[in-house]
């Protein structure tokens, strides 16, 4: 098992946050099929301290290109990709979330708020079982994911 953990530079000035997102996109593009699991840091689509009211609009604008890059990376590398960010989990509801993409680029589910929300449309493709004594944890293709700290 080989994994790649990408750490992007968080901008000291929120006006530079897009450069951090661009860095993450470039790093995802460098991943190859030697990786089994690719991880990104929290708030990948909002990597700075924003003034009140500006984080969600920025995150909303950046999410589509990051989500597409994560999906494409999963397919190209045949790897599980865990993209963490300020993501929309319901219409107008944003949470610090990790979205899991399977090796074919399908959304396996979201980890947020101590729970793993499974993509029910794709359940037939996944072996997701609770780990004893670890609420909020799941196993996906033999890898344990947990929203617990």
């Amino acid at each position: 098992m080989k994994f790649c953990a990408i750490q992007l530079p968080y901008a000291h000035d929120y006006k530079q946050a897009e450069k951090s997102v661009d860095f993450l996109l470039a790093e995802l593009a460098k991943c190859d099929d030697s990786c089994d699991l690719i991880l990104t840091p929290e708030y990948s689509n909002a990597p700075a301290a924003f003034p009140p009211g500006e984080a969600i609009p920025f995150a909303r604008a950046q999410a589509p290109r990051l989500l597409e890059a994560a999906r494409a990376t999963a397919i190209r590398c045949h790897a599980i990709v865990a993209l963490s960010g300020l993501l929309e989990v319901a219409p107008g509801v944003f949470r610090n979330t990790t979205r899991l993409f399977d090796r074919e680029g399908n959304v396996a589910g979201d980890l947020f708020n101590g729970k793993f929300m499974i993509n029910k449309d794709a359940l037939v493709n996944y072996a997701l079982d609770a780990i004893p004594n670890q609420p909020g944890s799941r196993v996906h293709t033999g890898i344990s994911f947990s929203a617990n700290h």
Side-chain angles (χ1 to χ4, degrees):
M1 164 78 48
K2 181 178 175 186
F3 77 94
C4 172
I6 300 170
Q7 180 59 58
L8 57 85
Y10 283 85
H12 293 287
D13 178 348
Y14 73 95
K15 294 175 184 168
Q16 300 298 314
E18 193 165 351
K19 288 182 181 177
S20 295
V21 174
D22 291 340
F23 174 88
L24 178 56
L25 291 168
E27 291 301 304
L28 285 169
K30 291 178 188 176
C31 294
D32 61 31
D33 63 2
S34 68
C35 296
D36 298 299
L37 174 64
I38 300 167
L39 309 170
T40 67
E42 289 185 299
Y43 294 100
S44 291
N45 62 335
F50 287 87
E54 294 194 30
I56 289 177
F58 184 87
R60 178 181 272 148
Q62 300 303 314
R65 64 190 192 130
L66 279 171
L67 291 166
E68 175 53 29
R71 185 194 71 73
T73 300
I75 294 167
R76 184 183 75 254
C77 300
H78 197 67
I80 295 171
V81 176
L83 177 72
S84 295
L86 183 57
L87 301 177
E88 196 166 15
V89 296
V93 178
F94 288 79
R95 297 282 184 266
N96 180 13
T97 303
T98 300
R99 184 151 300 155
L100 296 176
F101 293 86
D102 69 14
R103 297 174 191 279
E104 287 76 42
N106 302 304
V107 174
D110 289 339
L111 284 164
F112 72 92
N113 213 20
K115 297 177 181 156
F116 185 69
M117 307 306 290
I118 299 167
N119 177 356
K120 291 182 172 68
D121 294 334
L123 264 181
V124 73
N125 297 323
Y126 305 112
L128 295 162
D129 300 307
I131 299 171
N133 302 316
Q134 293 294 320
S137 298
R138 296 294 180 263
V139 174
H140 176 63
T141 60
I143 301 170
S144 173
F145 295 92
S146 177
N148 300 317
H149 294 58

